[in-house]
Amino acid sequence: MHNQASLEALPLELLDDIVVKLPGTEQCSLARASRQLYHTTVPHIWHTLTLEDHQGSDDVEEDHDDQQIIQILQTLKKNTYLAAKVQVLIHGCHLGPPDVFQALKRFSLKGPLFEDEYSGLGDLMPAIANLTNVHTLKIIFGHHLITTALLCGFFNTQRSNAIPVTKLWIESSSLEDVPLGDSSQCLAKLASVRLRRLPLSPEASFDPQTPLKILSRRVGELTTVNCDLNGPIQWRTAELRSNRNVDLRHGMMGARRDAAARNWRCLEDEWYPSYVDGRPAVEPSMLVSSMLNASSDTLVSLNLDWITRLREPLESFWHTLPTFPRLRSLQVRNAVMSATRFALGTQLFAPNSIFFDFIKRHRHIESLAWPLQHFFPPGEERRSSGQTEIDEVIEDLGQSLTHLRVDTTISFIGEPETDPSLSDTGVATGLHDPFTPDRHACRQKFIQRFLPKMRNLRSLKVEGGVPRDETRAIIRGLRGCPLRKLVIIGISWPLGNWDVIDNTEAPSPLLNAIAETFPDSIEVLKFCGFMGAPPIDDSQKHHRFDSIVSPLKKLKHLRYLTIAWALGTSFEHQKRDMEIVRFWTDSQDPSAMALIAPSDAEPSPWNTRLEEDFSPPALASSLCRSFEPHLAPSRKRDVELKALLLLEGAEASEIFDFSIVVRPDGSHGPTRAPRGENHPEKIQHKLQAREWF
């Protein structure tokens, strides 16, 4: 009798490996095949759960349709088996976080305002009670009601039968009025905390003459927050003034408060009965401080990324932080906005400063991110016991650090060759922010005193308006390290050779510095900056391109190269961005291509141009031709090339990425169409692949 081969006959470990590689839709189909396959696939299907609203249909003027969230909550409320399979819970608004340059500083994060009863709260409480195996909670631009309920629900002493949440990511959300109460026992297990683009002061403490915008569900004006290839991105908003009758805790207009109070009162009674109306607002900085103090014994990674609206000096907040015996990663970034920039006196290695006291107690961390201009104070320093102690701490960090990230405020006119404050011309043209003699002196001390002590760095990221000569000095200053990964992010194209006078055939000064310093260790390079980037479809005609990238041949172990490219989209004196994006989208959708009827007619000149210049195979061939001749000839492994494509007509600077794999024989692997910033797979990868979270 012939035994029919079956998936069910495979060992569970092998079957598990197969299921985890399947797309979500195929996992769902497989789960319906048999009882055994159902129990094998369900843990993968429900491992990561996202609670996200949706844009309402055209016939309903509804910007935040929460019906899908409610359906998921009702399922979790009734089905404890499925709820127990969830390990990662993500909540966020479908609109995505506010743009960091403009919208973030204009918006209240306590929205959206709901004009009628928010029925989902009644299902949220029992659903959280059933989510007994969630170890990671991520809230990214969360609705304030749901954000508050999730934090109070998961960090609650009544969850004695559940495993503790060990990873917490909160981004572009409000922590104001979150009544955690006495939850130190629940917070005591946190190992990783990532707070990103987050206000640490109550919104009421800011200028009442400049009202914030707040998301609204159905009523309000349309506010332009950004632009993409489809035109302006508009959100429905209301104006938030201190004298308006707005109950921020409930997220409702005062006239509608009673309709929603019933569900909210249930939430209060269930999770935090001690909360009463009239209680003073919870200071977000105090909440964060309490959270970190409670988790002092377990915290491994702390990330404070572009913290905004800090009412008190940073020292006041830092003074509340305890010692974290297990801390291995400290990430503090502020490159993008002046609103997040430190005061010049905030220095990591200043004697008797609260920051030096902190780093002295955590001198064995492995990952550090800190503003480049805030490592050392400017000016002459006398030799003292304090300076000797600083040198000892730097020596210890030199042995322990493996990841380093430094930044400065972005210069929107591009990174200068050298600090313009050092010349009369630079000062006269107003280029002294962030370029001043004092800031220059701080950066030079970092290069001269800190970098030479590093011995084990494997990853370096330099971001913001760092002068180009200083970027090269930073790279050369790490010559004693086995550097494997280097990321440079700015406004200008990092590989330009315009710094070389009267020599148009010169190689890129930056690539030259990398190839001379790390020829035997570099595996990953990423260069992001579009000002002056060459067009991908014209690189072979660019008379300087071959010379610019020639140092790549010296990098024997390079495996990943990411580089910014411009993509010309003009045809017959018109920008064709949208048509190109639609062409890419259709090429990924077989059903869309199937609707195109075969024809013997001669293709139009534009359709011919699309196929010859913008199709995935054409882009892959162009990318391979541009770089393959310049890769190390002795390489024995594949090299992944990723182009970050900026469409020429995109006012919003929408970026698409396109990857190919170049084999040792010079050929390249199969390709897929370029993906935009909001592509689901790309967003998912960013959420899952963060280092030190």
Side-chain angles (χ1 to χ4, degrees):
M1 181 177 179
H2 179 69
N3 290 326
Q4 185 177 1
S6 170
L7 279 174
E8 297 172 330
L10 293 174
L12 288 178
E13 294 81 1
L14 182 57
L15 184 57
D16 232 27
D17 288 342
I18 294 172
V19 172
V20 76
K21 292 179 172 62
L22 294 175
T25 53
E26 294 185 20
Q27 289 179 349
C28 293
S29 298
L30 187 62
R32 301 187 189 102
S34 71
R35 182 180 297 274
Q36 180 179 334
L37 291 176
Y38 173 84
H39 290 293
T40 302
T41 54
V42 159
H44 297 283
I45 296 171
W46 285 86
H47 176 275
T48 300
L49 178 64
T50 300
L51 299 177
E52 183 178 275
D53 65 335
H54 288 80
Q55 180 70 38
S57 57
D58 294 337
D59 57 336
V60 179
E61 194 174 342
E62 169 67 82
D63 280 3
H64 301 278
D65 185 352
D66 53 32
Q67 288 306 305
Q68 183 169 323
I69 293 179
I70 294 173
Q71 291 171 5
I72 293 174
L73 294 177
Q74 290 173 344
T75 299
L76 297 173
K77 174 182 175 181
K78 298 174 183 177
N79 194 325
T80 57
Y81 175 78
L82 294 180
K85 303 303 178 185
V86 179
Q87 297 184 39
V88 178
L89 183 65
I90 303 171
H91 165 59
C93 180
H94 75 281
L95 295 174
D99 168 66
V100 69
F101 295 107
Q102 298 296 331
L104 185 61
K105 61 185 178 183
R106 296 163 51 201
F107 273 82
S108 165
L109 297 175
K110 293 181 177 179
L113 294 175
F114 292 98
E115 285 75 37
D116 52 16
E117 182 175 359
Y118 184 65
S119 56
L121 285 177
D123 295 313
L124 186 53
M125 297 178 294
I128 292 177
N130 289 340
L131 292 167
T132 55
N133 290 307
V134 171
H135 56 69
T136 300
L137 177 61
K138 300 180 181 180
I139 303 173
I140 301 174
F141 198 31
H143 292 183
H144 190 48
L145 283 171
I146 302 177
T147 297
T148 302
L150 288 174
L151 291 174
C152 293
F154 279 103
F155 298 106
N156 188 280
T157 54
Q158 297 182 29
R159 284 177 57 83
S160 56
N161 64 329
I163 68 169
V165 173
T166 58
K167 294 185 176 183
L168 179 62
W169 177 334
I170 308 177
E171 176 177 344
S172 299
S173 303
S174 176
L175 294 181
E176 193 172 342
D177 299 323
V178 177
L180 286 181
D182 184 16
S183 55
S184 57
Q185 178 181 343
C186 306
L187 293 166
K189 300 296 183 181
L190 281 174
S192 179
V193 174
R194 179 180 175 88
L195 305 178
R196 192 167 190 256
R197 303 179 184 181
L198 202 70
L200 286 188
S201 291
E203 293 175 354
S205 64
F206 295 93
D207 185 5
Q209 302 303 317
T210 309
L212 297 172
K213 300 286 187 179
I214 188 169
L215 290 181
S216 183
R217 191 170 185 177
R218 293 194 184 96
V219 299
E221 62 181 354
L222 292 176
T223 300
T224 299
V225 296
N226 207 336
C227 293
D228 63 9
L229 294 172
N230 296 305
I233 298 174
Q234 294 183 316
W235 293 353
R236 193 175 304 280
T237 67
E239 196 173 83
L240 186 63
R241 290 185 181 272
S242 58
N243 60 352
R244 288 192 63 180
N245 186 21
V246 178
D247 184 330
L248 294 177
R249 180 168 66 88
H250 294 145
M252 314 265 176
M253 303 301 291
R256 299 277 187 169
R257 173 175 175 174
D258 293 340
R262 292 188 296 274
N263 271 334
W264 190 265
R265 196 171 296 116
C266 292
L267 189 65
E268 292 176 354
D269 293 341
E270 180 74 17
W271 291 121
Y272 37 96
S274 61
Y275 193 96
V276 294
D277 288 340
R279 178 174 174 174
V282 178
E283 182 87 16
S285 61
M286 293 176 61
L287 181 66
V288 172
S289 177
S290 298
M291 179 189 302
L292 297 178
N293 274 272
S295 58
S296 60
D297 290 338
T298 57
L299 197 67
V300 174
S301 176
L302 173 60
N303 189 311
L304 302 174
D305 195 351
W306 301 337
I307 297 299
T308 66
R309 303 175 188 165
L310 193 60
R311 180 167 55 180
E312 302 294 334
L314 186 64
E315 289 89 337
S316 299
F317 170 74
W318 217 263
H319 187 74
T320 67
L321 299 185
T323 299
F324 303 103
R326 299 188 182 186
L327 191 69
R328 291 295 174 266
S329 175
L330 174 65
Q331 305 270 321
V332 181
R333 297 175 56 218
N334 70 342
V336 173
M337 301 185 303
S338 59
T340 67
R341 190 172 59 198
F342 291 0
L344 188 57
T346 306
Q347 309 296 342
L348 188 61
F349 294 116
N352 303 318
S353 75
I354 188 66
F355 303 102
F356 178 62
D357 180 66
F358 183 88
I359 201 67
K360 180 172 62 175
R361 289 181 279 126
H362 302 88
R363 61 178 70 190
H364 299 297
I365 57 175
E366 299 171 26
S367 175
L368 175 64
W370 197 262
L372 177 56
Q373 294 161 171
H374 295 276
F375 277 82
F376 294 93
E380 294 293 330
E381 297 171 352
R382 295 181 179 178
R383 201 67 197 167
S384 65
S385 58
Q387 291 299 326
T388 301
E389 191 175 28
I390 288 174
D391 290 340
E392 291 173 354
V393 172
I394 294 175
E395 288 280 358
D396 289 338
L397 288 170
Q399 298 298 322
S400 64
L401 281 180
T402 59
H403 294 68
L404 178 64
R405 184 172 188 166
V406 295
D407 60 45
T408 67
T409 307
I410 282 178
S411 171
F412 288 98
I413 60 172
E415 295 72 49
E417 161 56 12
T418 193
D419 193 314
S421 71
L422 304 180
S423 67
D424 294 338
T425 303
V427 174
T429 54
L431 303 182
H432 53 280
D433 189 13
F435 307 115
T436 67
D438 277 351
R439 296 185 187 278
H440 172 75
C442 293
R443 296 194 299 269
Q444 289 302 307
K445 285 187 178 182
F446 168 79
I447 294 170
Q448 297 165 9
R449 289 191 58 185
F450 185 82
L451 295 181
K453 303 295 185 180
M454 299 298 105
R455 293 291 178 266
N456 295 305
L457 275 184
R458 299 196 300 267
S459 175
L460 171 67
K461 187 169 187 176
V462 181
E463 183 176 6
V466 184
R468 296 194 293 273
D469 60 343
E470 294 179 27
T471 298
R472 298 193 294 271
I474 289 172
I475 291 169
R476 294 190 175 104
L478 294 174
R479 61 176 56 88
C481 297
L483 199 69
R484 299 177 187 172
K485 179 179 180 179
L486 175 63
V487 180
I488 308 291
I489 299 178
I491 298 297
S492 300
W493 195 56
L495 299 187
N497 65 354
W498 45 75
D499 301 335
V500 183
I501 301 174
D502 298 329
N503 189 354
T504 58
E505 304 301 321
S508 161
L510 179 63
L511 268 184
N512 237 357
I514 296 168
E516 291 171 357
T517 312
F518 305 109
D520 298 320
S521 64
I522 280 289
E523 298 178 1
V524 181
L525 288 175
K526 180 177 181 179
F527 305 110
C528 186
F530 291 95
M531 186 182 292
I536 190 172
D537 54 345
D538 198 33
S539 61
Q540 296 304 303
K541 302 174 186 177
H542 199 288
H543 67 283
R544 294 191 298 178
F545 182 79
D546 287 347
S547 299
I548 287 174
V549 299
S550 59
L552 287 174
K553 286 187 176 180
K554 301 177 182 178
L555 303 177
K556 307 170 187 176
H557 301 290
L558 184 65
R559 298 194 63 191
Y560 301 94
L561 174 62
T562 301
I563 190 168
W565 286 92
L567 189 63
T569 62
S570 296
F571 184 76
E572 295 180 348
H573 309 293
Q574 290 183 340
K575 306 295 184 186
R576 302 292 187 103
D577 297 60
M578 276 305 301
E579 294 172 66
I580 293 171
V581 173
R582 193 177 302 114
F583 175 65
W584 289 340
T585 303
D586 290 345
S587 69
Q588 298 179 78
D589 185 359
S591 61
M593 301 303 290
L595 296 176
I596 302 176
S599 172
D600 295 330
E602 188 76 16
S604 68
W606 171 240
N607 286 337
T608 301
R609 171 86 189 276
L610 277 176
E611 288 292 342
E612 291 180 352
D613 291 347
F614 301 109
S615 67
L619 291 172
S621 296
S622 180
L623 192 60
C624 189
R625 286 196 309 270
S626 298
F627 280 101
E628 193 281 329
H630 305 290
L631 299 176
S634 60
R635 70 184 187 278
K636 298 181 181 180
R637 297 189 292 185
D638 294 345
V639 177
E640 180 179 325
L641 299 180
K642 178 184 289 186
L644 304 177
L645 304 176
L646 177 68
L647 301 189
E648 164 179 55
E651 295 181 1
S653 302
E654 184 153 358
I655 298 171
F656 293 78
D657 65 49
F658 178 73
S659 299
I660 64 171
V661 172
V662 178
R663 303 186 179 104
D665 62 4
S667 63
H668 63 81
T671 61
R672 57 184 299 175
R675 303 179 304 172
E677 290 292 301
N678 294 320
H679 192 282
E681 290 183 10
K682 192 170 182 181
I683 293 174
Q684 193 68 18
H685 176 74
K686 286 184 176 181
L687 286 174
Q688 294 178 348
R690 286 288 179 189
E691 289 183 304
W692 295 102
F693 177 72

